[in-house]
Amino acid sequence: MAEQAIHRYRVNSIDILRGLVMVIMALDHVRDFFFKAVIDNASNAALDPTNMQTTFPALFFTRWITHFCAPVFVFLAGTSIFLIAQKKSKKEVSAFLFKRGVWLVIVEIVIITLGWTFNPLYNVIILQVIWAIGISMILMSLLVQLPYKVILALGLLILLGHNLLDMPETKNDLDKGFLADLLYFSNFDFYSYAPNRGLIIVYSFLPWTALMMVGYCFGKLYKPSMDPGRRKKILVGLGLGITALFIVLRLINIYGDPVPWQSQPRGPVYTFLSFLNANKYPPSLIFLSMTLGPSILLLAFLENIKNRVTDFFNIYGRVPMFYYILHFFIIHGLVVIVFYLSGYGAADIVSPNNPFLFRPNDFGFNLWGVYAVWIFVVLVLYPLCKKYDRYKSTHRDWWLSYL
């Protein structure tokens, strides 16, 4: 299988970066399940980590740092496709991407939704990053037939221009229902398809597909013929340039994000947080520049680094899908344990307007508790990921390319 081919030609710096963002990602999901919001002693108050009126710096940055996860994950998925394509024909790559994409959509709907909700009746289906990657791979199965420069031009055109769709005169004409939300406009929009059943569109796929296309073209830097010293210089230049693009666009405050930053009455610290608070749903140009620029710089730094720390993150980066699926069930399983230990009962399993079972509105810990659970989850996953990586490295079963 194509996935097995790339397994023998892995790029350590890419695996390390992927593993790092996978570990950080778990922090966000632990926060979703375990953080108990407190405002003026009202323990059941809803608290958005990016709401400048209610957040605080530690909570904001707990959320903000996890913004790097989805862009890096999708971008490097595109890079992996390019590396696969170096060893397989376009026909083989297209077939693999199509099957892989369909499989990921099924995984999102059947497995990951269950991990989020623990609801075996599937009253709510959640379309998140794995769904977006799956659809993007299905589209990439066609796009890989195009010339490299065409893929790069199309990807950049969408990434640089998609925020034109956020302008009121454009949005009012185009944002008209389910298909438009699937493509671009959704921000946790809910669609009912039967009594007491519906789906939530979290990730609209268009900008994520474009990001995968650009990540695919980025893979050219990792061809065996590329001189490592030259690659590192290019990575530094790209990283600095993309980071500078974020700063310039944010300072101009006209284009690149549907929500301009504003001076905050709570003081300069919160004004700075507003500056960093870019739009993720869908990912704006400013959001992607803010996350990808530093990530590419980190790739340059990781080029020839090997120590215990990088070996630790490398394990997670080598088995990302295995890690991703498993971590939801471990986190939600811990939720069930804490739920009963906290004295809740059967009447509290379902909460109004909350698709997550065993998660009452006043459930959870403070931020220190969230970090403690996160560290525990990551450490529990390490031996499991290490064992699975060892198995995957020594076996060639067909199903390994799908997990």
Side-chain angles (χ1 to χ4, degrees), residues 28-214:
D28 198 40
H29 297 154
V30 170
R31 179 192 58 78
D32 283 329
F33 280 107
F34 278 101
F35 181 63
K36 184 176 184 177
V38 178
I39 305 175
D40 297 330
N41 297 320
S43 62
N44 62 345
L47 185 56
D48 177 1
T50 61
N51 184 330
M52 292 301 113
Q53 281 68 54
T54 57
T55 192
F56 51 93
L59 178 61
F60 177 87
F61 282 109
T62 297
R63 170 59 171 157
W64 181 83
I65 192 63
T66 65
H67 280 338
F68 285 78
C69 303
V72 170
F73 197 70
V74 176
F75 184 77
L76 293 182
T79 303
S80 295
I81 293 170
F82 183 90
L83 297 177
I84 291 172
Q86 303 311 296
K87 300 297 178 181
K88 297 290 181 179
S89 70
K90 286 187 176 182
K91 183 178 180 180
E92 290 173 317
V93 173
S94 291
F96 172 75
L97 289 176
F98 182 83
K99 291 184 289 185
R100 172 79 167 177
V102 171
W103 167 243
L104 290 180
V105 173
I106 295 172
V107 166
E108 182 77 271
I109 294 172
V110 177
I111 301 176
I112 296 174
T113 289
L114 181 62
W116 271 111
T117 66
F118 267 27
N119 182 349
L121 300 179
Y122 291 92
N123 295 94
V124 177
I125 293 171
I126 309 173
L127 302 181
Q128 296 196 88
V129 67
I130 299 302
W131 128 271
I133 293 176
I135 294 296
S136 297
M137 284 190 170
I138 291 171
L139 294 174
M140 283 296 296
S141 71
L142 302 174
L143 291 168
V144 292
Q145 304 294 330
L146 298 176
Y148 174 91
K149 291 183 179 179
V150 174
I151 298 173
L152 179 60
L154 285 174
L156 288 176
L157 180 64
I158 296 171
L159 290 185
L160 295 174
H162 76 269
N163 283 121
L164 293 171
L165 298 174
D166 296 313
M167 294 183 174
E169 55 273 23
T170 306
K171 183 177 175 66
N172 292 338
D173 289 336
L174 297 178
D175 186 6
K176 296 185 182 298
F178 180 70
L179 292 179
D181 282 341
L182 282 179
L183 184 69
Y184 182 76
F185 293 101
S186 184
N187 186 357
F188 290 81
D189 289 342
F190 178 83
Y191 285 90
S192 177
Y193 60 87
N196 298 317
R197 295 187 180 278
L199 58 85
I200 301 173
I201 306 172
V202 180
Y203 280 69
S204 302
F205 67 83
L206 178 64
W208 298 105
T209 300
L211 183 62
M212 185 178 287
M213 293 165 67
V214 175

Side-chain angles (χ1 to χ4, degrees), residues 272-297:
F272 177 63
L273 299 188
S274 178
F275 185 87
L276 293 177
N277 188 26
N279 196 70
K280 181 180 179 180
Y281 306 103
S284 68
L285 174 59
I286 285 174
F287 176 89
L288 294 174
S289 301
M290 176 183 70
T291 52
L292 286 180
S295 299
I296 292 174
L297 283 173

Side-chain angles (χ1 to χ4, degrees), residues 386-402:
K386 188 173 183 178
K387 186 173 183 178
Y388 178 66
D389 176 55
R390 188 180 299 116
Y391 181 88
K392 195 172 183 178
S393 299
T394 56
H395 292 75
R396 292 293 179 265
D397 303 304
W398 66 270
W399 58 268
L400 290 172
S401 61
Y402 293 90

Side-chain angles (χ1 to χ4, degrees), residues 361-386:
N361 291 330
D362 59 348
F363 172 90
F365 307 133
N366 62 19
L367 210 52
W368 286 111
V370 168
Y371 275 84
V373 174
W374 169 56
I375 292 170
F376 176 79
V377 169
V378 170
L379 293 180
V380 166
L381 281 164
Y382 183 80
L384 301 176
C385 291
K386 188 173 183 178

